[in-house]
Amino acid sequence: MSGHGDPIPMTSRRSGPLTGEAHVPGDKSISHRSLILGALAVGETHITGLLEGQDVLDTARAMRAFGAELTHHGTGAWTVGGVGVGGFAEPSDVIDCGNSGTGVRLIMGAMATSPITATFTGDASLRGRPMGRVTDPLALFGARAYGRSGGRLPMTVVGAAEPVPVRYTVPVPSAQVKSAVLLAGLNAPGETVVIEKEATRDHTERMLTGFGAQCRVEDSEEGRVITLTGQPELLPQTIVVPRDPSSAAFPVCAALIVEGSDALVPNIGLNPTRAGLFTTLQEMGADLTFENMREEGGEPVADLRARFSPNMKGIEVPPERAPSMIDEYPILSVVACFAEGATVMKGVKELRVKESDRIDAMARGLEACGATVEEDEDTLIVHGMGPGGLPGGATCAARLDHRIAMSFLCAGMAAQQPVTVDDAGPIATSFPVFEPLMEKLGAQFVRAGE
Ligand code: S3P
């Protein structure tokens, strides 16, 4: 489990062309939600394509602790025997969500309107992240939370015995907060209303509707208004989890910066609330095409083809695009090193409270590799050095953050000198097959001691 084992230093050196197909794992956001909503349905939900990264496995273990019956049938195939809305049992031990902010925040929401108490913890990264953004709205339902200073884990949540519905405007663009409030609203009588000023990923709304809840979304002057009718009977579903665009970002971006590459990344979910990176790359002049565009399970899906793109230009990424590519700024900042001119990323302060402070982690690591980077609280600017221009030759800190580790390994594939990450272990949280998948395309990774 990330953060618990010995560090796994890994070095990435300049590779030949990346070619072939990369079948990336299932979507992490949808995987968490499939397990949690499956646990809240009455009957057996069947899931295929589930991401079996540590984050999702920790959510699976948590759902068992709350009384759901989960069965693993083979790679990505699970059934979840749900206990129904309001049916969660009180866990007999602490819930360890490992590295996963999504896991802990969604589960806190899902249990906060039941008359049970649960204590949550996680690894060093998760114990440093703010939970007040979730426990503040959960208090409006009648739940109470007792954590460390700054609203940090470990934290005990006492669920509301007689929850009341809530009307809540989310103060930061966060799908985790929105989803926690909606999941809490499931067991409150009447209508719970969540308003978000900027649209964030909408998997919870879509899946609640799929499970048979009444969940209405309207655009108004206040923003996106989501109205959920409480205490529905959720009906078990058959779910095919699409492949994760946030994981696809790594082979796609690596192919854009490694000379001679031509890689296909098939079956990627392109929900507009997730696809901001691909728009940005095309604006930069990337040779990135969407083939075989189609709809699957109500979501747009395509095969992504990425080819080496020696003529990319830095651009200003509009701040309003941030929610649709929030997890992709680390790898975008690597691509920016290989473009001409500056890439200006504004409105990105949420990056400071992810698995690590991702602005600081990327700025320090890219500087060590020889790039020029500017930052302020809400902005990251990377000055491009053109194709093959990044010197590399540094060891970068992964900071218990899977996306930071993968980003620097991609940088090493195109930099002049190898790039080492001090710990590739966290990659297993979201992309357990990253190493063999990238090596099959042509990457040259070496683990320390090999
Ligand atoms: C997620 C929401 C985002 C994202 C995270 C997954 C989700 O976080 O960064 O990786 O599944 O709801 P925020 O809600 O904090 O923006």
Side-chain angles (χ1 to χ4, degrees):
M1 194 186 306
S2 126
H4 297 274
D6 290 335
I8 305 171
M10 195 180 284
T11 298
S12 166
R13 56 185 71 248
R14 192 176 252 195
S15 66
L18 303 181
T19 55
E21 288 192 13
H23 295 270
V24 304
D27 190 285
K28 181 153 73 71
S29 294
I30 296 176
S31 293
H32 283 294
R33 288 159 171 81
S34 299
L35 295 177
I36 296 169
L37 287 171
L40 292 170
V42 178
E44 215 169 67
T45 286
H46 295 260
I47 308 169
T48 51
L50 190 87
L51 165 65
E52 288 168 356
Q54 191 57 48
D55 278 10
V56 176
L57 296 177
D58 288 336
T59 289
R61 199 173 35 160
M63 290 302 98
R64 285 193 177 113
F66 282 100
E69 272 192 30
L70 278 73
T71 313
H72 186 208
H73 300 280
T75 309
W78 292 67
T79 48
V80 183
V83 294
V85 168
F88 271 179
E90 186 167 88
S92 58
D93 203 349
V94 173
I95 303 293
D96 186 347
C97 289
N99 190 250
S100 181
T102 307
V104 74
R105 292 182 175 132
L106 267 56
I107 297 167
M108 278 182 177
M111 59 73 60
T113 46
S114 291
I116 55 174
T117 296
T119 300
F120 296 88
T121 192
D123 71 4
S125 156
L126 192 58
R127 280 183 272 117
R129 298 178 67 184
M131 295 299 140
R133 53 176 53 199
V134 170
T135 53
D136 288 352
L138 296 183
L140 304 175
F141 287 97
R144 283 169 294 145
Y146 306 92
R148 288 194 302 135
S149 59
R152 319 269 152 173
L153 302 177
M155 182 173 273
T156 296
V157 179
V158 181
E162 290 181 29
V164 290
V166 154
R167 183 181 176 88
Y168 188 68
T169 302
V170 185
V172 287
S174 167
Q176 292 174 359
V177 176
K178 167 178 70 178
S179 302
V181 177
L182 289 171
L183 292 172
L186 276 176
N187 200 34
E191 290 192 335
T192 285
V193 180
V194 186
I195 301 152
E196 57 178 4
K197 291 175 211 136
E198 297 167 74
T200 63
R201 65 191 67 194
D202 62 356
H203 307 301
T204 304
E205 299 90 302
R206 286 177 188 246
M207 292 178 75
L208 278 169
T209 306
F211 272 85
Q214 278 188 36
C215 184
R216 217 170 53 241
V217 181
E218 290 147 318
D219 286 315
S220 80
E221 276 172 16
E222 288 174 289
R224 261 180 104 240
V225 181
I226 306 148
T227 306
L228 173 72
T229 305
Q231 299 181 328
E233 177 166 315
L234 297 184
L235 307 169
Q237 298 298 302
T238 298
I239 299 172
V240 181
V241 179
R243 295 178 191 270
D244 197 325
S246 298
S247 295
F250 295 100
V252 162
C253 289
L256 299 179
I257 61 176
V258 173
E259 197 172 338
S261 297
D262 183 351
L264 189 70
V265 188
N267 298 323
I268 301 304
L270 287 180
N271 178 315
T273 63
R274 297 287 299 281
L277 172 74
F278 304 122
T279 308
T280 301
L281 292 172
Q282 287 182 323
E283 286 176 3
M284 292 172 77
D287 187 350
L288 170 65
T289 48
F290 304 117
E291 298 180 356
N292 197 12
M293 284 285 277
R294 57 205 183 271
E295 280 240 334
E296 275 174 22
E299 298 264 358
V301 170
D303 305 335
L304 307 186
R305 180 173 289 280
R307 297 185 177 90
F308 175 53
S309 303
N311 299 316
M312 289 188 285
K313 306 264 177 298
I315 62 163
E316 183 164 327
V317 186
E320 61 275 12
R321 195 179 290 161
S324 70
M325 55 178 289
I326 193 66
D327 291 336
E328 282 67 74
Y329 285 97
I331 188 61
L332 177 64
S333 67
V334 170
V335 173
C337 291
F338 297 91
E340 300 286 351
T343 296
V344 181
M345 298 164 255
K346 285 189 175 156
V348 294
K349 64 173 180 290
E350 274 296 299
L351 295 181
R352 296 206 181 270
V353 291
K354 295 295 176 188
E355 286 82 332
S356 68
D357 175 344
R358 287 181 171 163
I359 296 179
D360 193 61
M362 290 313 298
R364 300 295 80 77
L366 291 177
E367 278 169 357
C369 290
T372 305
V373 179
E374 295 171 65
E375 62 170 298
D376 67 27
E377 183 55 25
D378 199 23
T379 310
L380 178 63
I381 302 173
V382 175
H383 294 273
M385 305 167 92
L390 184 71
T395 295
C396 304
R399 304 192 188 186
L400 287 182
D401 188 329
H402 52 131
R403 297 197 203 284
I404 299 299
M406 289 188 279
S407 295
F408 285 124
L409 289 172
C410 290
M413 295 167 68
Q416 291 158 14
Q417 298 298 322
V419 174
T420 298
V421 288
D422 64 347
D423 186 11
I427 294 172
T429 61
S430 71
F431 200 158
V433 296
F434 176 79
E435 190 184 350
L437 179 144
M438 296 300 280
E439 284 178 339
K440 197 165 155 245
L441 288 180
Q444 294 194 33
F445 297 156
V446 184
R447 288 182 180 225
E450 274 180 358

